[in-house]
């Protein structure tokens, strides 16, 4: 299951978060842990260079895209390899929506569309869609066509 997808700015402020199967009392712990992990390790990392961490049975894949840090947390069948696929889809869709790797300002301007895309990619803790064209059709609320 994909436990969390979190977007943060360079100062560590959360821009978007989606938790699945994580109790409310544990979410604060996850937020602070992920931001600390990013502040320790993301300095000087190139855009879309993936970093991996694990603790017990939980895997974390994270990266930087423009001024935004992206964290994906998973367990069970969502190991570091599966999470790298999830984060690849997320980064490519965010770049498409923003037109380039986003600044914080551009990311917040496109907030609504990014949230719609994120909801189409990860649904209730599982990877739902990976094709950019299908995601674009779904966020326009058009019926998907099967080709």
């Amino acid at each position: 299951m994909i436990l969390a997808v979190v977007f943060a700015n360079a100062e560590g402020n959360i821009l978007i978060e989606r938790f699945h199967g994580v109790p409310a009392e544990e979410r604060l712990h996850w937020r602070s842990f992920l931001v600390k992990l990013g502040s320790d390790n993301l300095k000087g990392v190139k855009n879309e260079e993936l970093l991996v961490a694990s603790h017990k049975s939980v895997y974390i894949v994270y990266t930087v895209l423009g001024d935004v840090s992206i964290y994906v947390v998973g367990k069970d069948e969502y190991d570091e390899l599966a999470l790298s696929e999830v984060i690849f889809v997320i980064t490519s869709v965010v770049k498409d929506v923003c037109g380039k790797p986003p600044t914080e300002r551009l990311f917040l301007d496109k907030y609504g569309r990014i949230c719609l895309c994120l909801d189409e990619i990860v649904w209730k803790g599982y990877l739902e869609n990976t094709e950019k064209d299908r995601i674009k059709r779904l966020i326009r609320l058009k019926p998907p066509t099967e080709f």
Side-chain angles (χ1 to χ4, degrees):
M1 174 176 259
I2 299 170
L3 297 176
V5 177
V6 177
F7 290 79
N9 65 8
E11 291 80 41
N13 299 316
I14 304 297
L15 302 174
I16 297 177
E17 64 180 22
R18 296 284 193 274
F19 287 102
H20 307 282
V22 177
E25 57 272 6
E26 290 182 22
R27 293 179 183 183
L28 180 60
H29 166 72
W30 275 108
R31 284 183 205 108
S32 57
F33 174 74
L34 293 174
V35 168
K36 173 99 171 82
L37 184 69
S39 68
D40 292 345
N41 299 313
L42 287 175
K43 300 241 186 307
V45 172
K46 293 182 238 156
N47 267 349
E48 299 181 67
E49 182 179 342
L50 298 182
L51 299 169
V52 178
S54 66
H55 178 66
K56 296 184 181 173
S57 64
V58 176
Y59 301 97
I60 304 158
V61 176
Y62 55 110
T63 190
V64 171
L65 184 65
D67 293 345
V68 178
S69 304
I70 306 169
Y71 306 87
V72 181
V73 181
K75 68 176 185 175
D76 299 331
E77 70 272 17
Y78 287 97
D79 60 2
E80 60 267 33
L81 187 58
L83 292 177
S84 65
E85 178 66 26
V86 173
I87 207 166
F88 173 75
V89 174
I90 291 171
T91 56
S92 64
V93 166
V94 169
K95 281 193 305 188
D96 275 3
V97 167
C98 294
K100 60 181 181 179
T103 61
E104 184 180 351
R105 170 75 181 195
L106 180 58
F107 185 88
L108 292 174
D109 287 344
K110 303 290 185 176
Y111 180 84
R113 289 194 57 148
I114 292 170
C115 286
L116 284 173
C117 290
L118 198 55
D119 290 341
E120 294 301 334
I121 295 168
V122 178
W123 180 250
K124 295 188 178 184
Y126 295 96
L127 182 61
E128 183 79 14
N129 291 300
T130 58
E131 299 172 29
K132 286 194 299 186
D133 293 335
R134 182 176 172 85
I135 294 166
K136 283 181 186 177
R137 278 195 304 273
L138 289 170
I139 66 168
R140 286 185 296 189
L141 303 177
K142 304 262 187 218
T145 56
E146 300 300 324
F147 284 89

